[in-house]
Amino acid sequence: MRIPLDVLDGAWSGQEVGMGVGASGVERLLAVIAEQSLHHGARVGLNALVEAVVRLSGTSGAALYTDDRQVVLSGRAPPGAAREHPWQCFQVGSTTLVVGEPCRDAEERQALLRLTSFGSALLASLAREEAARSERDHLRLDRQRLKELLAHRERTWARAAHDLRTPLLVLQGYIEMMNKGIAGALTPPMQRYLDRMRQSAADLNTRLQNRQRGEAVTTADLRPLLHAAFGPGRPGAARLEVPEEPLRVRVPRPTLVLLVRALERVLVGAGASGLEMRVDVPDDSQVWRLSILGQGERPLPERALTGLERLVRRSEARLEVKSEGSLALTLLLPRVAA
């Protein structure tokens, strides 16, 4: 992008090309180039700087080098490093500005040295931009590869889930038939084993459904949610008895948060008081059992209870409610083994 002529003329305070420059004019010119670099990139700023050198010094051409590598050229190429006159060369660090003809005016040489110093800063900025562009390209390629890998894994999982679902449904069907007594009376050990088989099949089915919906099953600790909802100072404050080990539940975290909030609304709506909450593992080690005991001033709110039951079904959990005389709720949540 070329610098407007009126800006150039004003920057050099009306002096003739190649006949000397003013310090204030150089700073004004640098401010213009810096603004162009800011809006359009360091490469545009470097081109504008070298073009300004050619126009304002009256030379036939100028080039900017870094580490003996030409970066920007404007006009006719100046002589090479072996043939250049000392008055044609202006160096700041590893950055060198070479003009087409020797510059003998001291004030103009000082201005060109100032421009070279600014060119060095622009070259550093250009290196950072190129590094960032290269990193962005690498990240784009990595992201594309990850998307392809994820798509392949999703297809593989979909096929595996489809292959597992049919035998799982058959297994659940036979378990239900045995629970109904079709195969004869069941002894207590047989009933216990069937319950564990049914719960394991239900857990596997839940994992397949959650994975198919793209929901992430939480492995977070349930204890902070219970303390946040039923800890001291809360409307449904209760005496909590929880194990020291993390309460990891096989429920998507958003659903788990909604479940705890719905349970809190049910208890607050019933005016529950003297609540005691205890979490343990029953004989069926596949679940956490949350037992709630207390006194209720009024019946359980039907609307809140309906919402809680809906979330319980969605979480593949179980809920037992007793509100005669005293308030008693039992919530069984699928457990993630440690």
Side-chain angles (χ1 to χ4, degrees):
M1 177 179 293
R2 294 183 177 276
I3 302 176
L5 293 178
D6 57 340
V7 174
L8 291 177
D9 294 340
W12 293 93
S13 304
Q15 299 187 26
E16 295 183 4
V17 174
M19 299 299 293
V21 295
S24 60
V26 173
E27 296 302 323
R28 181 179 175 185
L29 176 63
L30 292 178
V32 174
I33 297 176
E35 184 176 359
Q36 292 182 356
S37 303
L38 179 63
H39 290 290
H40 305 287
R43 173 65 66 177
V44 173
L46 287 169
N47 291 332
L49 185 142
V50 177
E51 289 178 4
V53 170
V54 172
R55 295 174 63 87
L56 302 177
S57 64
T59 62
S60 59
L64 195 66
Y65 295 84
T66 178
D67 296 327
D68 298 329
R69 178 176 62 90
Q70 181 177 294
V71 181
V72 185
L73 171 66
S74 180
R76 190 172 61 187
R83 295 178 297 163
E84 63 189 19
H85 191 278
W87 286 355
Q88 293 178 257
C89 177
F90 304 88
Q91 185 170 6
V92 175
S94 60
T95 302
T96 304
L97 174 66
V98 181
V99 295
E101 290 78 30
C103 178
R104 295 177 173 82
D105 184 80
E107 186 176 5
E108 186 175 348
R109 289 181 57 82
Q110 187 64 30
L112 292 177
L113 189 63
R114 180 74 178 88
L115 291 171
T116 305
S117 177
F118 187 66
S120 177
L122 288 179
L123 285 172
S125 178
L126 178 64
R128 290 192 297 269
E129 290 179 3
E130 291 177 347
R133 188 179 303 109
S134 177
E135 182 179 2
R136 187 168 59 250
D137 292 340
H138 284 301
L139 289 176
R140 186 184 301 110
L141 292 176
D142 291 342
R143 181 173 180 269
Q144 184 63 30
R145 285 194 293 266
L146 288 175
K147 287 176 64 176
E148 294 174 355
L149 177 61
L150 180 60
H152 174 71
R153 293 184 62 180
E154 290 292 337
R155 291 191 297 269
T156 303
W157 176 264
R159 288 193 297 266
H162 181 270
D163 294 339
L164 285 173
R165 191 168 291 111
T166 298
L168 181 61
L169 292 176
V170 173
L171 177 62
Q172 289 177 318
Y174 278 113
I175 291 174
E176 291 299 328
M177 292 170 60
M178 295 182 69
N179 280 328
K180 292 178 180 179
I182 294 179
L186 301 176
T187 63
M190 294 171 62
Q191 184 66 54
R192 186 166 60 254
Y193 296 152
L194 278 179
D195 288 342
R196 292 183 180 179
M197 292 171 62
R198 179 189 54 77
Q199 184 61 43
S200 296
D203 290 343
L204 180 56
N205 189 39
T206 300
R207 295 184 66 179
L208 292 175
Q209 291 178 353
N210 290 337
R211 188 63 175 81
Q212 186 176 10
R213 292 195 301 261
E215 296 179 351
V217 177
T218 181
T219 57
D221 193 351
L222 178 60
R223 292 175 299 179
L225 294 177
L226 293 178
H227 284 290
F230 304 106
R234 298 293 301 173
R239 185 167 66 89
L240 292 172
E241 295 182 13
V242 296
E244 295 182 358
E245 63 178 302
L247 303 180
R248 302 192 185 280
V249 182
R250 199 185 305 280
V251 178
R253 182 172 181 81
T255 304
L256 189 62
V257 172
L258 293 176
L259 185 63
V260 174
R261 291 178 180 174
L263 182 60
E264 181 185 14
R265 286 195 295 268
V266 168
L267 297 175
V268 172
S273 60
L275 288 175
E276 295 183 4
M277 292 189 175
R278 183 171 181 268
V279 180
D280 61 357
V281 179
D283 293 337
D284 187 350
S285 61
Q286 299 295 323
V287 298
W288 290 110
R289 178 171 60 190
L290 173 60
S291 303
I292 304 173
L293 296 175
Q295 298 294 328
E297 299 179 357
R298 45 190 177 271
L300 295 175
E302 183 176 352
R303 183 175 180 180
L305 185 59
T306 301
L308 175 62
E309 291 174 344
R310 185 184 306 112
L311 288 170
V312 166
R313 290 192 300 270
R314 179 180 174 183
S315 307
E316 297 293 333
R318 286 175 284 172
L319 177 66
E320 299 176 3
V321 180
K322 297 180 181 178
S323 58
E324 296 179 359
S326 61
L327 184 64
L329 288 84
T330 302
L331 184 61
L332 300 177
L333 295 167
R335 180 187 178 204
V336 176

